[in-house]
């Protein structure tokens, strides 16, 4: 399949995607599906080959690519809304950036021991920005999606999107106290994940 749903409207695209999934299960055949739509890739694939500029970036199950992206490209491509990124300096027990202060647990300290004194890229998925008191999210817009709300704004001047598990009515200029409950680390030079 070479982008078979790209010219369909959103409702028909969703229905046809489900039909392709059912057809795949019924036939049990190997199917190769080419798409630029990461939602299609995540919902239809048993395994994903994520490519950029003709090079394979990562191969794995949808959950592997989502939970453990190999590099910044995969991290920014997989997930909707995309992952938030912040440049931070590694200290012995914490990451420090412009207005970003993230305390490292012992396991994270061990992972980053070779990066102490260096700047890395901290990645945080929108759903991993939760209510807390570590930082402030300055609200720009608020999108209610039913069970979740996308809150777009800035953390210490850096663009950020939080996906809160609630219906919220934040307005431009509001401040929301937030914390990060799961993060990813990327080498600033190679863009590869630090594990």
């Amino acid at each position: 399949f070479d982008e078979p749903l790209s010219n369909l409207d959103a409702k028909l695209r969703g229905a046809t995607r489900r039909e392709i999934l059912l057809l795949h299960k019924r036939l049990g055949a190997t199917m190769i599906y080419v798409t630029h739509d990461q939602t299609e890739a995540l919902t239809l694939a048993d395994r994903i080959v994520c490519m950029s500029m003709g090079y394979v970036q990562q191969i794995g199950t949808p959950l592997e690519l989502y939970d453990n992206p190999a590099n910044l490209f995969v991290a920014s491509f997989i997930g909707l809304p995309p992952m938030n990124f912040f440049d931070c300096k590694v200290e012995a027990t914490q990451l420090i950036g412009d207005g970003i202060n993230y305390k490292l647990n012992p396991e994270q300290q061990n992972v980053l021991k070779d990066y102490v004194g260096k700047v890395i890229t901290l990645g945080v998925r929108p759903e991993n920005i939760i209510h807390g008191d570590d930082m402030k999210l300055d609200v720009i817009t608020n999108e209610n999606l039913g069970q979740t709300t996308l809150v777009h704004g800035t953390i210490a001047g850096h663009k950020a999107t939080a996906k809160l598990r609630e219906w919220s009515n934040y307005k431009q200029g509001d401040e929301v106290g937030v914390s990060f409950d799961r993060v990813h680390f990327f080498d600033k030079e190679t863009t590869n994940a630090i594990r």
Side-chain angles (χ1 to χ4, degrees):
F1 296 88
D2 188 0
E3 302 214 35
L5 309 182
S6 60
N7 293 321
L8 305 179
D9 63 56
K11 187 174 182 180
L12 185 55
R13 180 182 287 210
T16 307
R17 188 173 63 230
R18 285 187 294 279
E19 288 300 320
I20 290 172
L21 185 60
L22 291 171
L23 180 66
H24 178 241
K25 288 181 189 243
R26 191 173 78 234
L27 294 177
T30 299
M31 297 180 178
I32 297 175
Y33 191 103
V34 179
T35 183
H36 287 88
D37 185 320
Q38 55 102 10
T39 301
E40 289 176 20
L42 288 173
T43 56
L44 290 173
D46 296 320
R47 291 184 63 74
I48 295 174
V49 178
C50 186
M51 298 182 69
S52 175
M53 307 297 284
Y55 293 95
V56 172
Q57 302 296 310
Q58 187 172 358
I59 300 172
T61 67
L63 189 58
E64 287 170 346
L65 270 68
Y66 185 82
D67 274 349
N68 297 300
N71 56 39
L72 278 172
F73 176 80
V74 177
S76 63
F77 184 72
I78 300 291
L80 192 63
M83 189 180 282
N84 300 288
F85 298 108
F86 309 95
D87 287 343
C88 295
K89 184 176 182 181
V90 180
E91 295 188 352
T93 60
Q94 62 187 346
L95 297 179
I96 300 291
D98 269 344
I100 305 290
N101 186 347
Y102 179 78
K103 291 187 180 183
L104 299 168
N105 64 38
E107 182 182 336
Q108 292 169 328
Q109 291 173 31
N110 188 48
V111 168
L112 294 176
K113 67 181 180 294
D114 294 337
Y115 288 86
V116 172
K118 297 179 182 175
V119 175
I120 64 164
T121 301
L122 172 68
V124 187
R125 292 215 178 271
E127 55 272 23
N128 296 131
I129 297 178
I130 58 171
H131 287 289
D133 56 8
D134 294 331
M135 292 156 273
K136 295 286 184 209
L137 173 65
D138 296 309
V139 177
I140 296 173
T141 59
N142 187 77
E143 292 182 79
N144 287 313
L145 303 175
Q147 293 182 343
T148 61
T149 301
L150 295 181
V151 182
H152 304 278
T154 59
I155 296 175
H158 305 281
K159 284 175 61 174
T161 299
K163 187 175 187 179
L164 303 177
R165 296 175 186 97
E166 62 188 30
W167 182 279
S168 302
N169 287 312
Y170 297 115
K171 295 178 181 38
Q172 185 170 3
D174 287 350
E175 277 190 353
V176 182
V178 296
S179 296
F180 301 155
D181 76 343
R182 179 152 191 246
V183 298
H184 302 267
F185 308 124
F186 300 95
D187 187 291
K188 190 91 175 107
E189 292 177 16
T190 67
T191 76
N192 291 330
I194 302 169
R195 296 195 176 111

